[in-house]
Amino acid sequence: MTERDTLQKLIDSGTVATALRQGSSARHAITALQTILHWLGFDKELNWKKYGADGDYGRATTSAVAAFAKRNGSTAIGKRIPAPLAEKIIARFDMLDELKQLAEDVDGKSVEKHYKRGSADKMRGTVLQELLHELGFTAELNWARFGADGDYGRSTAAAVAAYGRQQGIAVDGNNLSLQLAKNIIAELSPFYGPGWHTPVHIPTPAPGSLSIKSVVGKKNRQFVEVSDGRQTKRFGKYRKGLFTSGSQKPADFVTTQADKLRAANMTASEINVMIAVAENEGNLDAINTWDNAFLSFGLFQWTAGQGNAKGELPALLARIKDETPDLFEQYFGQHGLDVVDATAGLIHGCFSLHGAKIKTAAAKDQLRQAPWAFRFWLAGQDPAVQAIEIKHALSRLDQFYTSERYKVADTFFVSDLVTSEYGVGLILDNHVNRPAYVRRCLAKALEETGLSNPAAWGTEEEARLIAAYIKIRTTYGNSPMTDADKRARVTKKYLTKGTISDSRDSFKRSRSGT
């Protein structure tokens, strides 16, 4: 149980004021409080260098609590912690990673590079949304609908513009300026102690057979290093979890390991499409355990699912288990992880851990722990797992290419309209990024071009449709496809190189599917 969880449990049980007071014998709870106050920057009041987190609620802890209370509008004098003050401590702690990230980007003068409309950097999108929400721009963010989803779209731009007006700085909101970033920090930092931006200790889960330790990197960034004695991986730390963009590039794998994909019954045409699409997607060993999907992995960043919902990641593992049981056991099964309500042919499913189904958000929180990040990362190094990732990624076509649900203008299958390798690559990339927009963008492209009866089309007609579709998807919807122009250029690069074809009917699927 983390320090935050310890404090939250006291609040939920109604015992916080009894446990966290002068003279209390609840040393574990007091240690948790002292550690959190250390993170929040109150080292001077805690006399941290002398006492650290000693579990004694004495004069130093009283002073730190009083200092926090004063900075956060409470009249508490520090001798005990009432529940409202404990809740405020947790709220400030929950915002700390966001404030640190923005401060680092200000120091590095990289704000305008990372915080802009359409950016693929969801972590920084979440940072900005959480901070603007804290500052009261809930309506502009359309918080009830989107929350902190990481997508810098219309609502986030509206919130930035509104904040700019409040600060007397005229901006359109499509980019967070360095000055506005500084203003956000200036508004929120007074709620913390003066040492909130300095390096702090990172608690780590029980390691089991793994070595897990905290590491401080450049610019005081916090990392967690995990090792099994053979391989070691350093993960970035953010909010409740860890992350790495990985190093196993799918384009490299598809190009150099085509024999493994052919052995998996993928056609040359399917392999070509994956080469063209892969550069736009995540690395094969990418990991994220910090956002509201709990655990994301691999090429398409398959997740455990938000909240109590099923996720796509169990379906990937079901495919691994079905096709290579020994591989599944090596990386997942021996550690108690299994799949439930998922088979290799399904899209979604659930996990179970040591026989208990993981079906709630609270249960999924276990997947944020460092050992799971390491185990999935380790699996992502294995060429056999990588091949299944590629195969599973291509099976996404089954969701929309010949699906009744994706019929365009209620008349045509996507497979009726788009039959070139180039077109399929573009549509697949769109479906990964904004699946709900595929059918609508194609329908609008049909309308704009006036095309009909695809059975009579040749390469020229499909090219006209694709050209219109590419323009439409760039700005379509409340939250347009991320980096649509750039992603289209990447796919076209492989057309120019001759890797894929834009000829009508050039895309050939395997008879058995994927």
Side-chain angles (χ1 to χ4, degrees), residues 449-510:
T449 58
L451 289 165
S452 60
N453 188 22
W457 289 0
T459 297
E460 182 181 345
E461 286 79 12
E462 180 170 327
R464 284 172 54 199
L465 179 80
I466 291 299
Y469 155 77
I470 289 173
K471 284 186 178 180
I472 290 165
R473 78 178 193 176
T474 303
T475 58
Y476 185 84
N478 292 330
S479 182
M481 183 177 172
T482 305
D483 292 332
D485 283 338
K486 178 182 176 183
R487 296 169 79 99
R489 287 195 300 271
V490 168
T491 305
K492 189 165 185 177
K493 175 178 71 176
Y494 290 93
L495 174 63
T496 304
K497 290 168 60 176
T499 304
I500 54 174
S501 170
D502 61 355
S503 297
R504 185 95 173 137
D505 298 324
S506 58
F507 179 65
K508 307 296 182 184
R509 295 203 73 185
S510 61

Side-chain angles (χ1 to χ4, degrees), residues 280-309:
N280 280 327
E281 309 308 335
N283 286 332
L284 295 161
D285 55 342
I287 302 291
N288 168 16
T289 69
W290 63 261
D291 70 11
N292 57 4
F294 302 97
L295 173 62
S296 304
F297 169 69
L299 173 62
F300 282 176
Q301 283 294 280
W302 297 284
T303 78
Q306 297 183 15
N308 298 341

Side-chain angles (χ1 to χ4, degrees), residues 5 23 161 164 184 186 189 201 227 249 299 311 316 328 343-345 374 376 382 403 410 419 501:
D5 292 339
I184 290 173
S189 59
H201 163 75
S227 176
K249 297 184 181 301
L299 173 62
L316 170 66
F328 178 86
T343 65
F374 181 79
F376 274 86
D382 192 316
S403 168
D410 298 323
T419 66
S501 170

Side-chain angles (χ1 to χ4, degrees), residues 242-270:
L242 308 176
F243 66 92
T244 177
S245 59
S247 61
Q248 303 297 313
K249 297 184 181 301
D252 292 345
F253 178 85
V254 176
T255 303
T256 61
Q257 304 289 330
D259 57 326
K260 289 184 172 61
L261 300 179
R262 284 191 290 269
N265 296 319
M266 287 179 65
T267 67
S269 183
E270 290 171 332

Side-chain angles (χ1 to χ4, degrees), residues 35-181:
T35 302
I36 290 176
L37 289 171
H38 160 55
W39 287 330
L40 296 179
F42 294 93
D43 283 9
K44 181 179 178 181
E45 293 83 356
L46 287 166
N47 201 347
W48 184 259
K49 288 185 178 179
K50 181 176 181 180
Y51 298 118
D54 61 1
D56 179 17
Y57 200 130
R59 184 181 300 175
T61 303
T62 298
S63 176
V65 172
F68 176 87
K70 184 177 181 180
R71 285 174 174 263
N72 286 274
S74 170
T75 58
I77 60 175
K79 292 185 177 181
R80 67 181 183 89
I81 296 189
L85 185 60
E87 290 170 354
K88 180 59 69 175
I89 289 173
I90 286 180
R92 294 301 179 205
F93 174 71
D94 286 345
M95 198 63 57
L96 184 58
D97 272 341
E98 281 80 1
L99 197 57
K100 283 190 171 190
Q101 181 64 60
L102 186 60
E104 178 188 316
D105 292 328
V106 166
D107 292 343
K109 294 182 172 54
S110 59
V111 170
E112 293 175 8
K113 173 184 175 183
H114 294 300
Y115 300 85
K116 59 185 178 181
R117 188 165 181 176
S119 171
D121 192 336
K122 286 205 167 192
M123 184 179 79
R124 286 182 170 91
T126 299
V127 165
L128 181 57
Q129 290 161 346
E130 290 281 8
L131 294 176
L132 288 172
H133 177 245
E134 180 67 17
L135 290 171
F137 294 90
T138 303
E140 291 84 356
L141 288 166
N142 201 348
W143 190 262
R145 180 179 179 185
F146 298 118
D149 62 1
D151 285 328
Y152 196 139
R154 182 182 300 175
S155 296
T156 303
V160 172
Y163 182 65
R165 289 193 296 272
Q166 184 197 79
Q167 298 295 305
I169 300 174
V171 293
D172 62 10
N174 290 326
N175 198 297
L176 179 69
S177 70
L178 179 61
Q179 186 57 56
L180 283 181

Side-chain angles (χ1 to χ4, degrees), residues 159-444:
V160 172
Y163 182 65
R165 289 193 296 272
Q166 184 197 79
Q167 298 295 305
I169 300 174
V171 293
D172 62 10
N174 290 326
N175 198 297
L176 179 69
S177 70
L178 179 61
Q179 186 57 56
L180 283 181
K182 289 179 177 178
N183 290 9
I184 290 173
I185 294 168
E187 284 201 65
L188 294 174
S189 59
F191 297 118
Y192 297 82
W196 64 267
H197 49 77
T198 57
V200 297
H201 163 75
I202 305 171
T204 55
S209 60
L210 298 175
S211 166
I212 304 173
K213 64 181 181 179
S214 305
V215 178
V216 178
K218 294 180 180 179
K219 296 184 178 179
N220 293 333
R221 292 301 292 162
Q222 309 297 311
F223 298 89
V224 171
E225 193 170 272
V226 187
S227 176
D228 63 359
R230 295 181 299 277
Q231 297 214 53
T232 300
K233 177 61 182 173
R234 179 178 292 189
F235 296 92
K237 180 183 180 296
Y238 180 65
R239 304 184 81 185
K240 292 182 178 180
L242 308 176
F243 66 92
T244 177
S245 59
S247 61
Q248 303 297 313
K249 297 184 181 301
D252 292 345
F253 178 85
V254 176
T255 303
T256 61
Q257 304 289 330
D259 57 326
K260 289 184 172 61
L261 300 179
R262 284 191 290 269
N265 296 319
M266 287 179 65
T267 67
S269 183
E270 290 171 332
I271 294 170
N272 293 341
V273 167
M274 286 311 303
I275 291 173
V277 171
E279 187 176 330
N280 280 327
E281 309 308 335
N283 286 332
L284 295 161
D285 55 342
I287 302 291
N288 168 16
T289 69
W290 63 261
D291 70 11
N292 57 4
F294 302 97
L295 173 62
S296 304
F297 169 69
L299 173 62
F300 282 176
Q301 283 294 280
W302 297 284
T303 78
Q306 297 183 15
N308 298 341
K310 292 181 178 181
E312 293 186 338
L313 185 54
L316 170 66
L317 263 65
R319 185 182 289 271
I320 295 172
K321 183 178 181 181
D322 180 64
E323 297 186 9
T324 53
D326 291 345
L327 206 63
F328 178 86
E329 181 65 20
Q330 176 184 344
Y331 293 113
F332 309 110
Q334 67 166 318
H335 305 296
L337 191 69
D338 206 345
V339 289
V340 183
D341 302 332
T343 65
L346 292 181
I347 300 169
H348 301 93
C350 296
F351 286 125
S352 67
L353 190 58
H354 302 299
K357 187 175 180 180
I358 302 176
K359 57 183 179 180
T360 66
K364 288 180 185 178
D365 236 22
Q366 301 170 85
L367 299 174
R368 297 191 192 277
Q369 294 181 352
W372 289 116
F374 181 79
R375 288 161 186 158
F376 274 86
W377 171 82
L378 196 61
Q381 310 303 304
D382 192 316
V385 172
Q386 293 172 359
I388 294 175
E389 282 190 61
I390 299 293
K391 183 177 178 181
H392 192 67
L394 189 65
S395 74
R396 195 180 190 96
L397 284 171
D398 297 332
Q399 298 179 34
F400 67 88
Y401 196 52
T402 55
S403 168
E404 288 279 350
R405 191 164 62 91
Y406 271 82
K407 269 193 169 181
V408 179
D410 298 323
T411 305
F412 305 114
F413 290 112
V414 174
S415 61
D416 294 329
L417 303 175
V418 182
T419 66
S420 68
E421 292 175 342
Y422 176 52
V424 169
L426 289 166
I427 301 297
L428 179 58
D429 185 43
N430 192 166
H431 192 267
V432 173
N433 194 271
R434 291 290 187 276
Y437 292 176
V438 168
R439 180 173 57 85
R440 301 173 200 169
C441 287
L442 284 172
K444 192 169 176 61

